[in-house]
Amino acid sequence: MERHLVIGASGQLGIELIIGMQAKYGVNAVVSSDIRTSEDADVNRGEFILLDATDQKAVRKVLTDGGFTHVYHLVAMLSAKGEDNPLEGWELNMKSLFNVLECAKEGLVEKVFWPSSIAVFGPNAHKQATAQDTCCDPTTVYGVSKVAGELWCKYYFEHYGVDVRSLRYPGLIGHRSLPGGGTTDYAVEAFHRALEGKEFECYLDENEALPMMHMDDAIRATLELMEAPIDCVRVRTSYNLSGCSFSPFELNNEIKKTIPEFKTVYSPDIRQQIASSWPDSIDDTDARADWGWKAVYDVEGLVKAMLDALKR
Ligand code: AKB
């Protein structure tokens, strides 16, 4: 029987992944772990283990005792927070990854999922429809840790047969929690301000387009990749994944179709520099060809879904 462990379960992605997996595999097949408990009642229906992913012994014990077949290792310090704490970001992102990969190498789990990001790309990558194999020269610690992590995942697959799979997520947009420490997070905040009837102060330039994705698409992509037959998973660094793409100005206009009085003002800060080093849009041909990926949400669908869900 499959047993799934999510490490970093109380974060923005973890909460949604657990709920998606509970619906698909049953509440008892999904266990959450983090250094703090989740505030989400649905997540808390399942078993929770207190776990510091940087503690090698603790990770080994949980994976030895738990009988898990699948581990989703989501722990990371994101781009903006990583620039304020470069060494802590590097330490957290890399150490926790090695702890999981080493356990997988010893055969304690069958499959590992580890998220990468559009942050692997830097200023020299082509901005439009950025290709899978273009140059990855990120300017953030987060991006550097993701490029290094991708290469380590490939190394563990090729040298030790560890079945580790990965996606380069765009900015993820979901209603269940507020993200923290990222550069794409402005978009989630915009929805909350709009529904509170408040003006939104955006820290990016109005025309800074970024790749984005509705959380439902992100969760479906994750589970489809994890369920794909091993021979279909040809990319062993991390797959480019495309949802939709928009700028703060375009988001503002789309929200205004439902909430005409919504207004965004722009005060770019250091996060604008990070955003300007990233792609505007992503080419995910390999994900489509290898395991049949196709996004559902365009900008219009994403905005409608977010406003409806937050209103509820
Ligand atoms: C961030 O903005 O740092 C993240 C990401 C794109 O990986 N959302």
Side-chain angles (χ1 to χ4, degrees), residues 145-222:
S145 76
K146 289 297 180 190
V147 174
E150 286 190 3
L151 293 172
W152 276 112
C153 287
K154 187 165 181 248
Y155 186 94
Y156 271 73
F157 173 72
E158 287 176 349
H159 289 75
Y160 311 125
V162 171
D163 189 0
V164 47
R165 306 178 179 200
S166 178
L167 296 170
R168 289 173 177 160
Y169 288 124
L172 299 182
I173 317 279
H175 68 276
R176 282 187 182 266
S177 68
L178 284 169
T183 301
T184 57
D185 298 354
Y186 85 87
V188 180
E189 202 190 326
F191 290 102
H192 288 268
R193 291 291 95 77
L195 286 168
E196 286 159 7
K198 291 189 182 143
E199 185 176 271
F200 171 52
E201 188 177 340
C202 180
Y203 54 74
L204 297 186
D205 275 347
E206 60 185 321
N207 293 319
E208 185 56 64
L210 285 169
M212 298 283 188
M213 178 173 276
H214 189 276
M215 203 49 103
D216 289 356
D217 270 345
I219 300 308
R220 188 168 52 80
T222 308

Side-chain angles (χ1 to χ4, degrees), residues 78-79 117-118 142 169-171 182-185 278:
L78 299 185
S79 55
S117 162
I118 53 160
Y142 175 62
Y169 288 124
T183 301
T184 57
D185 298 354
W278 289 352

Side-chain angles (χ1 to χ4, degrees), residues 100-299:
V100 172
L101 289 178
E102 277 295 299
C103 288
K105 177 182 155 188
E106 290 165 25
L108 297 181
V109 293
E110 287 168 22
K111 274 187 204 172
V112 176
F113 177 80
W114 175 77
S116 186
S117 162
I118 53 160
V120 295
F121 299 113
N124 293 313
H126 195 65
K127 292 267 174 235
Q128 304 296 331
T130 305
Q132 176 74 43
D133 291 322
T134 192
C135 88
C136 290
D137 59 347
T139 52
T140 62
V141 171
Y142 175 62
V144 174
S145 76
K146 289 297 180 190
V147 174
E150 286 190 3
L151 293 172
W152 276 112
C153 287
K154 187 165 181 248
Y155 186 94
Y156 271 73
F157 173 72
E158 287 176 349
H159 289 75
Y160 311 125
V162 171
D163 189 0
V164 47
R165 306 178 179 200
S166 178
L167 296 170
R168 289 173 177 160
Y169 288 124
L172 299 182
I173 317 279
H175 68 276
R176 282 187 182 266
S177 68
L178 284 169
T183 301
T184 57
D185 298 354
Y186 85 87
V188 180
E189 202 190 326
F191 290 102
H192 288 268
R193 291 291 95 77
L195 286 168
E196 286 159 7
K198 291 189 182 143
E199 185 176 271
F200 171 52
E201 188 177 340
C202 180
Y203 54 74
L204 297 186
D205 275 347
E206 60 185 321
N207 293 319
E208 185 56 64
L210 285 169
M212 298 283 188
M213 178 173 276
H214 189 276
M215 203 49 103
D216 289 356
D217 270 345
I219 300 308
R220 188 168 52 80
T222 308
L223 300 183
E224 284 178 9
L225 174 66
M226 287 300 269
E227 288 182 353
I230 193 158
D231 294 342
C232 295
V233 185
R234 287 183 314 111
V235 175
R236 286 294 175 169
T237 47
S238 186
Y239 277 97
N240 271 13
L241 192 68
S242 175
C244 52
S245 171
F246 55 80
S247 66
F249 180 73
E250 287 163 331
L251 178 63
N252 178 78
N253 287 351
E254 199 56 51
I255 293 176
K256 270 170 95 72
K257 288 183 187 167
T258 308
I259 305 174
E261 57 284 6
F262 179 58
K263 187 176 171 213
T264 304
V265 292
Y266 302 92
S267 334
D269 66 17
I270 183 78
R271 288 167 282 190
Q272 171 54 33
Q273 275 173 37
I274 299 175
S276 67
S277 74
W278 289 352
D280 292 357
S281 61
I282 295 289
D283 175 0
D284 60 2
T285 304
D286 284 354
R288 288 165 179 266
D290 290 0
W291 44 276
W293 166 245
K294 195 173 182 326
V296 167
Y297 289 84
D298 57 11
V299 187

